[in-house]
Amino acid sequence: MALRNLAPNSSYWYTGEVCLKFPPKIVSPGLPALLLDKRRKSDFIDYSAPRLQLQTILFYVLTQATHMLLKNLGLPLFVSQILAGLILRIPNVGNYRYLFNRSDDSILVLGAVGGLGYLFFLFLSGVKMDVRLTFKSGKKAVYIGFLTVLVPLLACMITNKVFHPEDYFFNTNKFFLAVSYAGTSFPVIHNLLNELKILNSEIGRLGLSAALVGDMVTLVLTICSLWMKEHGEVGTKRVLQDVGWAILFLVVVVFVLRPGFKWMVKHIPETSQKKDICFYLVILAFMLSPPITKQFHLHAKFGPFILGLIVPDGPPLGSALVEKLDPIISGFLLPIFSTTCGIRVDPSSFKKISTFLINQSIGAVVTVVVKFGVSLALAMFCKMPMRDSLALAFVMISKGIVEIGYYSSMSNSMVISKPHYAFLIYMSTLIAIIVPILVKWLYDPSRKYLCFQKRTIMNSKPNQELRVLGCVHVPGNVNSIINLLNVCCPTRESSLALDVLHLVKLSGRATPLFIAHQKQELMTSDDSYSENVVIAFKQFERHNAKFVSLNVFTAVSPPNLMYEDICNLAIEHSTCFILLPFHRRWYIDGSIESEDQTIRSLNWNILETTPCSVGILVEGRRKVSFSTFRDPPSSQSYSSYNIAVIFMGIGTILAESDRALDDEMLSGIKGSMRYLEEQVSDGPETSNFLRSIVEDYQLFIVGRRYKCEDPQTSGLELWCEFEEIGIIGDLLSSTDFIANYSVLIVQQQHQRNS
């Protein structure tokens, strides 16, 4: 069949012929059939389905092998995917001609599958983004977001004007390219910060907010550049029509579809089978969005992204979409797209380098340099440290899958030539390699946890309020913390400053949230993450009037980064003691009620990075209640409870100075409470003694010891299941000790010098 097309940058038509075979070969009859039937001249690879499977396997193996070599440098998986494609373009590597160049549709099939993955990626990126946060970003983020797009764009246009003084300043094609160079991508910056595990850090939050603003600016400029480009081809009247259609599209999206999604989420129960219907309706809308968007005279790729923006982020709908789609998109379809973009790079195309390509390459480099300089200057103007300012500047110039997809689309539309496309892919890959390494070297968020002050209960001044931070994951943690705090018996002379942090898993959205409930700083008006937590602790505060001051916060963040929120809040409020729930809960009969390994990992991170003392509370099998809420001060009533503090003394083989320190610590205790001393020689004797007293107490307080050469615990370390609560804590929490008590394991603050 003959095809006619318009040559780029000319008014001449060219004619070409494409030969197609019918019927198309998709599913092979099987390798044995092809080998046994000599009349079949077709090769196994001629069929598109098995060829796609082999290509996918090759992509996966090569990508994983490359990533194994590069992951220690902190490079994201995306870099390995692009490099895998570039490696496959090397002659005699991976049988390129045999596997990829057998027929004209080989790369087309890969492009179609990868393109579907890219559209899904744009859709999920929109789902995770909360556009309302754009209007609630601080001035610092707004300035950085706007200026890091507009100033580099202007610099690129000036550079183009210098090299081409005969062109108009706002040359349509060059303005379109300049927007692609200067733009900011929120999904790329989010993925970078997430890979570096600094999403919750100060730079992470500022970078995300600035990227959100910059992405919206880039989206508007991209649409405007397309209209400008179209204006030069079809005239003003057609552009005005397109603008009208675009406005109508936005009106339908904002005032019809978004309210419809909100109504659907509000009126369909979580457990209802209709919830699946909602999911399938959204997927159907996604599949229809590209052709419908084209009917409104917008680029087809804007449809999935805009549709994602209007889907309510977070639970239940946004979370369900991300949880169900993200594994197959990020793990299967999107890697095919990234690697295919690398395969399309033709190194031999650089033999035909033109002056236009050189000038555009210089413009792209100038844009990146100016973008870095603007980011650095704004960060320093905001009085950020030099290393932090440099790290933020590198974050803002990062390139990734969005830019790669943008350049691929321009190459398909013949807006850029093959050498130009190859240069942009190489430049983006180089930036994607350099940025993570430099950011990781420049910025270490754990530096601020280096605390030179002693923040422990022991070092708290007499008659000074005790500053405690309690962490809540599930409703059961609320009563446990309140019961334990009642043991403290706060009074006017020994008051309690309590910060409660409700930790919620970030799901269905990209931006972490930190909500201060006492200031009503709710980042989203539709969500109520911690209403019951706030009510319960407010009741505790009322029952301890004038003795307890309360602040309640909610942190919505990835589980592996929740320790950032905890440590930041502890530093900000000069906390002396962090109270964490244990990751396992039991029924009365000793069987496991629930177990969450993400909570265990969080506890480990806190123990290793904490700026103060830490306690892990292991609840009793019968959910011990040490006391009921106290009545108002006019008619106080107390419940009685027994608490045991296990103190492991120094053995005779150790230094006398340590024994003297033990005696000094115990001197103030022996006369004020019941003191029981037991001589033990090894771990089994310690276990037998503890077993004999567990029925007499409702709470045990022990220190955290692990891998210590102590005669009292010798032999017990072999049976220790949970290292984070120490040998004695693990022993008292084991199923061998079933009684009505809870255990509080305390680790004193570690003093670190650097």
Side-chain angles (χ1 to χ4, degrees):
M1 58 182 296
L3 297 177
R4 300 176 68 244
N5 202 351
L6 186 65
N9 302 321
S10 71
S11 57
Y12 298 96
W13 293 88
Y14 64 87
T15 303
E17 293 186 355
V18 178
C19 298
L20 301 177
K21 295 181 180 180
F22 291 96
K25 297 179 179 180
I26 300 177
V27 181
S28 74
L31 186 60
L34 291 174
L35 294 176
L36 294 175
D37 192 349
K38 297 182 179 180
R39 292 176 297 177
R40 296 181 183 269
K41 297 182 180 181
S42 299
D43 198 347
F44 183 70
I45 305 299
D46 288 337
Y47 296 88
S48 56
R51 184 176 62 239
L52 177 62
Q53 294 169 356
L54 290 176
Q55 290 168 341
T56 303
I57 294 173
L58 179 61
F59 289 173
Y60 178 80
V61 172
L62 189 56
T63 297
Q64 293 301 318
T66 307
H67 190 59
M68 286 182 64
L69 300 175
L70 300 178
K71 64 181 179 180
N72 291 332
L73 298 176
L75 299 183
L77 185 60
F78 156 76
V79 172
S80 301
Q81 294 165 357
I82 291 292
L83 290 178
L86 296 177
I87 291 172
L88 288 172
R89 285 296 309 203
I90 300 175
N92 300 323
V93 174
N95 288 329
Y96 175 80
R97 293 186 177 277
Y98 179 74
L99 195 56
F100 295 95
N101 212 24
R102 295 280 293 184
S103 61
D104 294 332
D105 66 340
S106 176
I107 299 297
L108 294 179
V109 172
L110 281 173
V113 175
L116 177 63
Y118 185 68
L119 291 179
F120 264 114
F121 169 77
L122 294 177
F123 169 67
L124 290 181
S125 298
V127 171
K128 296 175 184 178
M129 293 173 64
D130 189 352
V131 183
R132 294 170 294 180
L133 297 180
T134 307
F135 306 102
K136 298 179 181 180
S137 301
K139 291 183 180 180
K140 188 189 302 185
V142 172
Y143 290 149
I144 294 175
F146 266 95
L147 294 179
T148 53
V149 175
L150 298 180
V151 175
L153 174 63
L154 184 62
C156 186
M157 298 302 297
I158 293 175
T159 304
N160 289 331
K161 184 64 176 178
V162 170
F163 285 104
H164 299 279
E166 71 279 2
D167 289 346
Y168 292 109
F169 185 77
F170 285 101
N171 179 281
T172 54
N173 282 333
K174 293 174 182 175
F175 181 77
F176 181 72
L177 289 171
V179 172
S180 71
Y181 302 154
T184 300
S185 171
F186 177 86
V188 169
I189 292 180
H190 173 269
N191 289 339
L192 170 66
L193 296 172
N194 193 38
E195 289 273 355
L196 295 175
K197 298 181 180 180
I198 57 174
L199 200 62
N200 285 12
S201 65
E202 181 182 359
I203 284 184
R205 293 183 183 276
L206 178 59
L208 277 183
S209 299
L212 187 59
V213 175
D215 203 328
M216 294 298 103
V217 175
T218 304
L219 178 63
V220 173
L221 288 174
T222 302
I223 295 175
C224 292
S225 66
L226 290 172
W227 285 337
M228 290 176 60
K229 186 174 182 294
E230 190 176 9
H231 176 267
E233 298 174 355
V234 298
T236 305
K237 182 178 179 181
R238 174 65 181 274
V239 172
L240 291 177
Q241 290 177 350
D242 290 349
V243 172
W245 280 109
I247 294 174
L248 178 61
F249 176 76
L250 291 178
V251 169
V252 172
V253 164
V254 174
F255 296 103
V256 178
L257 291 181
R258 182 168 177 80
F261 282 133
K262 284 187 174 181
W263 180 91
M264 202 163 52
V265 169
K266 186 177 181 180
H267 288 83
I268 294 183
E270 278 283 317
T271 57
S272 172
Q273 292 183 348
K274 296 180 180 179
K275 179 183 175 182
D276 293 333
I277 297 178
C278 290
F279 176 82
Y280 296 127
L281 286 176
V282 174
I283 297 300
L284 177 62
F286 161 77
M287 301 300 292
L288 295 176
S289 60
I292 291 177
T293 308
K294 291 185 67 175
Q295 294 300 316
F296 283 91
H297 297 192
L298 287 172
H299 197 282
K301 291 183 179 179
F302 290 141
F305 180 69
I306 295 175
L307 177 66
L309 289 177
I310 67 172
V311 172
D313 59 330
L317 184 57
S319 300
L321 288 168
V322 173
E323 290 173 1
K324 292 182 179 180
L325 295 178
D326 198 53
I328 190 172
I329 303 305
S330 300
F332 175 63
L333 294 178
L334 200 60
I336 292 178
F337 177 78
S338 303
T339 308
T340 304
C341 289
I343 288 178
R344 293 180 58 191
V345 174
D346 186 4
S348 63
S349 62
F350 283 109
K351 297 178 182 178
K352 304 175 182 179
I353 297 178
S354 62
T355 304
F356 177 80
L357 173 62
I358 295 175
N359 295 341
Q360 282 298 313
S361 302
I362 294 174
V365 173
V366 168
T367 305
V368 173
V369 173
V370 172
K371 191 180 183 75
F372 177 84
V374 172
S375 305
L376 178 62
L378 290 173
M380 295 183 65
F381 180 77
C382 296
K383 299 181 179 179
M384 293 178 62
M386 174 57 75
R387 293 178 68 93
D388 293 3
S389 300
L390 287 170
L392 179 63
F394 280 115
V395 166
M396 296 307 297
I397 67 168
S398 57
K399 303 289 183 182
I401 186 64
V402 173
E403 287 78 13
I404 296 296
Y406 202 69
Y407 302 146
S408 176
S409 178
M410 288 192 292
S411 177
N412 292 337
S413 304
M414 289 187 288
V415 175
I416 58 177
S417 61
K418 288 185 177 181
H420 195 178
Y421 171 77
F423 169 78
L424 293 176
I425 296 297
Y426 285 142
M427 184 186 72
S428 300
T429 305
L430 181 63
I431 293 175
I433 291 174
I434 293 175
V435 166
I437 297 175
L438 292 179
V439 173
K440 190 175 182 180
W441 175 68
L442 288 167
Y443 185 67
D444 180 12
S446 64
R447 288 199 312 264
K448 58 180 175 288
Y449 305 146
L450 298 177
C451 186
F452 302 100
Q453 273 186 320
K454 291 185 177 180
R455 293 180 178 175
T456 65
I457 298 177
M458 183 178 68
N459 295 112
S460 299
K461 296 180 181 179
N463 300 326
Q464 184 184 36
E465 65 179 4
L466 178 64
R467 307 199 65 88
V468 177
L469 171 58
C471 299
V472 174
H473 294 280
V474 295
N477 300 149
V478 175
N479 289 332
S480 302
I481 293 177
I482 290 177
N483 287 335
L484 181 62
L485 294 176
N486 276 320
V487 174
C488 299
C489 297
T491 61
R492 192 182 305 274
E493 294 76 18
S494 181
S495 59
L496 180 67
L498 175 62
D499 293 326
V500 177
L501 182 59
H502 185 201
L503 297 161
V504 180
K505 178 184 176 182
L506 182 68
S507 178
R509 55 162 47 99
T511 308
L513 301 178
F514 192 85
I515 305 169
H517 293 280
Q518 66 276 11
K519 296 181 181 179
Q520 298 298 317
E521 294 178 354
L522 291 177
M523 301 301 291
T524 54
S525 58
D526 301 329
D527 301 320
S528 180
Y529 292 99
S530 309
E531 182 178 356
N532 294 331
V533 175
V534 174
I535 293 173
F537 281 99
K538 284 290 184 182
Q539 184 182 1
F540 170 74
E541 183 184 31
R542 285 194 300 269
H543 281 84
N544 294 273
K546 300 181 182 179
F547 305 150
V548 174
S549 61
L550 175 68
N551 291 318
V552 183
F553 305 89
T554 297
V556 185
S557 57
N560 64 325
L561 300 178
M562 285 179 177
Y563 73 95
E564 289 267 0
D565 295 306
I566 298 173
C567 293
N568 288 338
L569 187 60
I571 292 174
E572 182 181 347
H573 288 201
S574 301
T575 300
C576 295
F577 188 67
I578 297 176
L579 183 58
L580 303 171
F582 193 53
H583 71 279
R584 178 180 287 182
R585 295 162 60 87
W586 289 270
Y587 288 111
I588 296 176
D589 60 359
S591 60
I592 297 176
E593 177 185 351
S594 62
E595 185 170 11
D596 193 335
Q597 291 299 323
T598 59
I599 297 179
R600 186 184 185 191
S601 299
L602 172 63
N603 292 347
W604 264 117
N605 288 330
I606 295 296
L607 291 171
E608 293 173 354
T609 60
T610 179
C612 61
S613 296
V614 182
I616 298 180
L617 178 62
V618 181
E619 295 182 66
R621 270 60 168 179
R622 303 180 202 171
K623 306 301 181 288
V624 181
S625 178
F626 308 119
S627 66
T628 58
F629 280 124
R630 294 194 298 178
D631 295 328
S634 58
S635 59
Q636 292 186 354
S637 63
Y638 299 88
S639 298
S640 62
Y641 38 85
N642 296 324
I643 304 173
V645 179
I646 307 299
F647 182 82
M648 306 292 289
I650 303 296
T652 57
I653 61 173
L654 296 168
E656 288 296 326
S657 59
D658 292 333
R659 290 183 58 83
L661 182 61
D662 284 356
D663 294 337
E664 181 183 351
M665 292 292 297
L666 295 173
S667 60
I669 298 177
K670 293 181 179 179
S672 59
M673 61 186 66
R674 182 189 176 192
Y675 176 79
L676 179 62
E677 183 173 322
E678 181 75 13
Q679 295 287 339
V680 294
S681 59
D682 54 20
E685 289 188 11
T686 300
S687 176
N688 292 334
F689 170 71
L690 293 176
R691 195 187 306 272
S692 66
I693 64 172
V694 292
E695 296 288 348
D696 301 331
Y697 300 95
Q698 287 81 51
L699 174 65
F700 283 87
I701 302 177
V702 301
R704 177 177 180 258
R705 282 191 181 187
Y706 186 74
K707 293 183 179 179
C708 294
E709 297 294 334
D710 294 325
Q712 301 96 322
T713 59
S714 62
L716 295 179
E717 67 273 5
L718 300 176
W719 304 96
C720 185
E721 182 179 3
F722 303 113
E723 302 175 9
E724 66 271 23
I725 58 177
I727 297 175
I728 300 299
D730 181 83
L731 180 66
L732 290 170
S733 305
S734 66
T735 53
D736 295 334
F737 287 68
I738 300 179
N740 190 23
Y741 65 88
S742 293
V743 185
L744 177 64
I745 300 94
V746 179
Q747 173 184 283
Q748 197 175 43
Q749 174 196 15
H750 291 318
Q751 292 290 321
R752 295 181 291 172
N753 297 324
S754 61

